[in-house]
Amino acid sequence: MRVRKIPLPLPNTGLMHRKRNTYYMRVVLCAALIVFILMQLNVFSFTDSREMSMLNEPTNDSIDAMLSMVPSVLHKFLTPKSRNQTAAAHMQQNSTTSGRYNSSSYTDYYHPPNISEIKQQIAKYNELQIVLNEDTYGPLQNDSVIIVVQVHTRITYLRHLIVSLAQAKDISKTLLIFSHDYYDDDINDLVQTIDFCKVIQIFYPYSIQTHPNEFPGVDPNDCPRDMKKDQAIARKCNNALYPDLYGHYREAKFTQTKHHWWWKANRVFDQLDVTRYHTGLVLFLEEDHYVAEDFLYLLEMMQSSTGSLCPQCDILSLGTYLKTFNYYTYNSKVEVMPWISSKHNMGFAFNRSTWSNIRKCAQHFCFYDDYNWDWSLHYVSQQCLQKKLHAMIVKGPRVFHIGECGVHHKKKNCESNQVIAKVQQVLRIARKSKQLFPRSLSLTAASLVKKTKLRKGNGGWGDRRDHQLCMNMTKSINES
């Protein structure tokens, strides 16, 4: 006989109800998460596309547009005012008060110094070592950054570099050293109007300007660059026995840059009274560079992070030669790799410890047949140092190259403001989107560097006189 089973209701424990609630909550949370991610992606896309569209807008490189991006108090650094213009204004003012005006007299009011006078001025500057604004900002501290700017003749670019430096956070704590290989009163006047930090000028004393008809300038008896060695020997011209590795003889305009870089490094680290015992960072810039307002802030952050991010790093690099900059992704990213002269030679810093190791390799630097100081330094790293130079490099650059023309590159319009305006625009966008002054740094995987054989030098440095001059610069005051 089959027993009929009577279904009994189970006690209501709320389990099914809780399961349904949990299920609904998970669905809601998943939906909210998806919506949040989509919103973030949309914001990123919008921000990125907006920045890209702003960057791709036609750049207004007019003087008025560029001045509008600079605080009015700094316009004085961008306003050209030559000695002759000053003299003309002075003469015109005198004529107004006296009632007499000679239209030809003011042109003779200012006479550029001759070579003898220039040599005297250079010797005076280098001997006195006057630090401007020291009474305002106090003596140099050991943890202060020293900024060394190598200057030639391009005053237009120098003006914009000075304006960018003036806007940098903590610039008042630095010592700004201008190292000149050309004596120019207009450039000197510009440098001496700087009032936002301590300033000192040093002058390379073996320039082409001060030695136009003798070594290290162009001696009348120098061998022409493309003369064959047997012809040079027959002619008995200077250094006939020692052309460079490509069979060419020296060109003074190219050799000067390497000499100047080596001289200023020795001068700053070992000879200047104000810097010879300084153990902090020395940052190397050039007249056609432009800095972001947080470059010192980031440099200090990189220095304090070397222990955790890169204990083996000797050099901190703030510049890049990239044409586009993705600050949204890389504003706080750094990478580490062996120092490469062609990539990391702009806006880089090192301290006295690194310099001491480099200085011990003076012969490798001074005898290497390459007229480029950065390639010579790369050779030192590869062939002389016990440990090759390693660099920490910012992915979002804080030092930019604005020069359209230089020793190696000539264009029809060397005074173009287009690059300067573009850099100003990039930094304005980065500032508005709060991509400057990161709170921390993070290390990103460096792109793989192919192991390549050390390439031959670029030549231009076969002259024995250049070798000897370079080595003589390595002697400090106490050794000479």
Side-chain angles (χ1 to χ4, degrees):
M1 181 177 179
R2 176 179 291 179
V3 179
R4 185 180 177 187
K5 293 182 179 179
I6 302 174
L8 297 174
L10 295 172
N12 186 6
T13 61
L15 179 61
M16 296 299 295
H17 180 68
R18 286 197 298 272
K19 284 185 176 179
R20 282 196 299 269
N21 284 349
T22 302
Y23 172 75
Y24 291 143
M25 288 177 65
R26 286 179 178 174
V27 170
V28 171
L29 286 174
C30 288
L33 183 61
I34 291 171
V35 170
F36 176 76
I37 291 173
L38 289 174
M39 288 178 66
Q40 289 298 103
L41 289 173
N42 185 54
V43 169
F44 173 81
S45 176
F46 174 73
T47 303
D48 194 53
S49 62
R50 183 177 61 180
E51 291 182 5
M52 289 304 296
S53 64
M54 291 176 69
L55 284 173
N56 290 329
E57 289 177 2
T59 304
N60 187 347
D61 59 355
S62 67
I63 297 298
D64 290 340
M66 296 175 68
L67 287 175
S68 69
M69 292 191 180
V70 175
S72 58
V73 70
L74 302 180
H75 287 186
K76 62 184 178 181
F77 297 123
L78 296 176
T79 307
K81 199 171 187 180
S82 70
R83 287 288 180 105
N84 279 329
Q85 287 175 318
T86 304
H90 177 74
M91 294 295 292
Q92 193 166 11
Q93 183 179 5
N94 287 346
S95 69
T96 303
T97 55
S98 65
R100 296 190 305 274
Y101 176 66
N102 184 347
S103 60
S104 61
S105 61
Y106 78 85
T107 57
D108 299 326
Y109 189 86
Y110 167 70
H111 292 283
N114 57 37
I115 292 176
S116 176
E117 292 169 334
I118 289 173
K119 285 183 175 180
Q120 291 175 8
Q121 290 298 318
I122 287 176
K124 183 181 77 172
Y125 272 106
N126 287 345
E127 180 182 2
L128 293 178
Q129 303 181 29
I130 297 174
V131 181
L132 303 175
N133 306 321
E134 190 174 27
D135 55 338
T136 302
Y137 298 105
L140 180 69
Q141 302 300 311
N142 202 41
D143 59 348
S144 299
V145 176
I146 296 173
I147 304 171
V148 185
V149 183
Q150 185 156 324
V151 184
H152 184 49
T153 60
R154 295 176 292 175
I155 190 171
T156 299
Y157 294 128
L158 182 61
R159 291 182 185 280
H160 288 280
L161 170 62
I162 290 172
V163 165
S164 69
L165 289 167
Q167 299 176 83
K169 179 178 173 16
D170 292 331
I171 191 65
S172 61
K173 299 177 182 178
T174 66
L175 171 64
L176 194 52
I177 301 178
F178 290 90
S179 183
H180 306 264
D181 60 26
Y182 190 87
Y183 186 92
D184 179 85
D185 281 323
D186 289 338
I187 292 177
N188 294 341
D189 289 345
L190 171 63
V191 169
Q192 290 162 19
T193 59
I194 292 175
D195 52 7
F196 50 80
C197 68
K198 296 181 287 293
V199 176
I200 186 172
Q201 289 179 277
I202 59 177
F203 290 84
Y204 172 61
Y206 312 111
S207 68
I208 299 173
Q209 182 191 30
T210 54
H211 300 77
N213 302 311
E214 59 181 331
F215 178 86
V218 182
D219 190 297
N221 194 43
D222 281 348
C223 301
R225 175 189 183 274
D226 296 321
M227 179 172 280
K228 300 300 180 184
K229 184 176 179 180
D230 55 349
Q231 294 175 318
I233 293 173
R235 181 173 164 176
K236 296 183 179 179
C237 53
N238 294 330
N239 199 57
L241 294 174
Y242 305 103
D244 70 9
L245 55 87
Y246 299 101
H248 299 142
Y249 293 98
R250 83 185 295 268
E251 294 178 274
K253 62 181 179 180
F254 294 127
T255 59
Q256 175 168 275
T257 304
K258 177 173 173 177
H259 280 308
H260 183 184
W261 192 92
W262 188 244
W263 175 84
K264 79 179 181 190
N266 278 275
R267 182 76 173 160
V268 170
F269 279 107
D270 299 326
Q271 298 170 11
L272 286 180
D273 293 337
V274 70
T275 60
R276 61 192 304 186
Y277 300 112
H278 183 267
T279 58
L281 286 176
V282 176
L283 175 68
F284 291 87
L285 299 176
E286 296 181 15
E287 64 186 10
D288 60 348
H289 289 172
Y290 195 99
V291 300
E293 62 196 68
D294 68 340
F295 84 102
L296 288 169
Y297 170 89
L298 202 71
L299 186 63
E300 182 181 356
M301 187 177 287
M302 292 169 71
Q303 184 182 27
S304 62
S305 301
T306 51
S308 58
L309 298 181
C310 182
Q312 75 274 27
C313 282
D314 321 270
I315 290 177
L316 306 176
S317 180
L318 296 172
T320 181
Y321 289 97
L322 297 176
K323 300 297 182 184
T324 57
F325 319 104
N326 188 343
Y327 274 96
Y328 191 90
T329 305
Y330 294 121
N331 70 315
S332 62
K333 298 284 196 304
V334 295
E335 62 181 358
V336 172
M337 63 175 64
W339 187 80
I340 301 173
S341 58
S342 58
K343 293 183 178 181
H344 312 139
N345 62 359
M346 181 171 60
F348 71 100
F350 54 79
N351 60 20
R352 179 172 299 279
S353 176
T354 300
W355 166 249
S356 297
N357 292 330
I358 293 171
R359 188 178 180 273
K360 292 173 185 175
C361 297
Q363 278 198 315
H364 284 75
F365 184 93
C366 290
F367 284 81
Y368 182 52
D369 195 354
D370 193 310
Y371 64 93
N372 297 289
W373 65 263
D374 49 350
W375 279 103
S376 302
L377 190 57
H378 187 239
Y379 179 76
V380 165
S381 173
Q382 297 289 315
Q383 295 295 307
C384 180
L385 297 180
Q386 291 184 350
K387 179 177 68 70
K388 295 177 183 177
L389 295 172
H390 278 72
M392 182 190 295
I393 307 111
V394 292
K395 295 286 286 181
R398 265 56 177 194
V399 175
F400 302 83
H401 184 251
I402 59 174
E404 290 281 80
C405 300
V407 175
H408 305 295
H409 305 287
K410 298 294 181 185
K411 295 185 178 181
K412 290 183 180 179
N413 183 10
C414 288
E415 298 299 324
S416 172
N417 293 324
Q418 189 171 3
V419 177
I420 301 169
K422 195 75 173 180
V423 169
Q424 287 180 329
Q425 191 174 14
V426 166
L427 291 175
R428 178 170 62 90
I429 294 169
R431 187 183 310 113
K432 282 189 173 183
S433 52
K434 298 182 179 179
Q435 295 164 8
L436 301 178
F437 298 99
R439 293 184 179 180
S440 61
L441 296 178
S442 59
L443 190 63
T444 184
S447 54
L448 294 176
V449 180
K450 294 181 180 178
K451 290 185 178 181
T452 56
K453 293 181 180 179
L454 185 66
R455 53 166 283 180
K456 289 198 305 181
N458 291 294
W461 199 265
D463 199 306
R464 296 298 179 90
R465 294 172 296 173
D466 283 318
H467 302 166
Q468 192 57 53
L469 175 62
C470 181
M471 288 300 297
N472 288 342
M473 291 175 189
T474 312
K475 296 178 180 179
S476 68
I477 290 176
N478 292 334
E479 295 173 326
S480 45

